Amino acid sequence: MEGARDVLLPTLLDIEASGFGRGSYPIEVGLARPDGSRCAFLIQPVQEWTHWDPKAELLHGISRARLIREGYPPIEVARWLNDELAASGIAYSDSWGYDNTWLSLLFDQARMLPRFRLEALRRLLSEAQTECWAQTKERIAAEHDIRRHRAGDDARLLQLTYKATLGVD
C-alpha cells in the first residue's frame, strides 16, 4: 500500500438532515478536502423548512434550536460550497440520492446554481474496494475515534476508508 499514501484523495461531501423523506432538509454540510482537512457548517432552517424527525436528532445530536441559534443562512453555505468546490468541479458522496436532493434544496433556497457536481462515491470504487468497504469503514472509525453522523467527520471517515481500500486487489 505504499502508493496509497501519495494518492490525491477525492473531495468527499456529507450532509446531515432534519430527517428522511418528504419535507426533510439539510441541517449540516461537511467536506473532507484532498489534503485531508475537513470543515462543516450548520445550516439555519428557513421558515418553510418545518419537518423535524426526533429520531434523526438522536443520531446527529443537533437540535433545531441550535440550528436557529448557530446555523448559517442557506445562501452563505451555498456560496461557501461554490468557493470550495468550483476549482475541482466535483465532490463525492456515499449517499448520493439523499445528499443530491438536499444539496439541490439548499441551492434552490439560495437562488444559486452549484458550480460543481456531486457524484456517487461508488463510481470511484473497484469491486475489491466495495467488498471490503463496510468492514474497513468500521475499523477506521474505531481507530480514529470518529464521531458518526456529523457531516465533517463522516466525510473524513469516507475519505480515510477510500484511502485504506486503495491497495486492495
Side-chain angles (χ1 to χ4, degrees):
M1 280 230 261
E2 286 300 314
R5 284 192 200 124
D6 302 326
V7 170
L8 187 64
L9 296 173
T11 300
L12 274 293
L13 180 145
D14 187 70
I15 296 177
E16 296 300 322
S18 65
F20 289 99
R22 193 174 191 87
S24 66
Y25 53 89
I27 65 165
E28 184 180 41
V29 63
L31 290 178
R33 298 178 184 107
D35 67 4
S37 64
R38 66 178 174 257
C39 53
F41 288 92
L42 295 175
I43 302 167
Q44 199 173 65
V46 296
Q47 190 172 359
E48 55 269 20
W49 292 356
T50 58
H51 173 80
W52 193 258
D53 185 343
K55 291 177 188 163
E57 183 177 341
L58 284 175
L59 280 179
H60 51 62
I62 303 166
S63 70
R64 186 169 162 84
R66 181 175 177 200
L67 292 174
I68 292 167
R69 193 174 60 248
E70 299 175 22
Y72 291 86
I75 192 166
E76 287 184 32
V77 179
R79 282 184 186 141
W80 168 74
L81 284 167
N82 273 343
D83 288 348
E84 282 278 334
L85 298 170
S88 67
I90 192 165
Y92 295 90
S93 164
D94 72 329
S95 297
W96 184 86
Y98 285 114
D99 288 349
N100 199 48
T101 298
W102 292 320
L103 198 60
S104 295
L105 185 61
L106 175 73
F107 274 89
D108 186 56
Q109 181 61 45
R111 291 183 168 77
M112 294 173 64
L113 292 173
R115 296 189 353 235
F116 62 95
R117 71 183 192 279
L118 187 64
E119 291 283 346
L121 175 60
R122 70 179 169 273
R123 294 183 62 153
L124 296 179
L125 304 180
S126 68
E127 189 175 322
Q129 283 176 289
T130 302
E131 287 173 11
C132 68
W133 187 267
Q135 183 180 354
T136 304
K137 185 175 163 186
E138 290 309 312
R139 179 179 55 79
I140 298 284
E143 285 174 3
H144 292 267
D145 195 29
I146 294 176
R147 180 174 176 202
R148 305 293 306 276
H149 304 294
R150 289 303 304 266
D153 289 341
D154 279 353
R156 182 65 176 140
L157 174 58
L158 294 171
Q159 193 180 59
L160 289 170
T161 304
Y162 175 79
K163 184 176 181 179
T165 62
L166 278 177
V168 176
D169 293 284

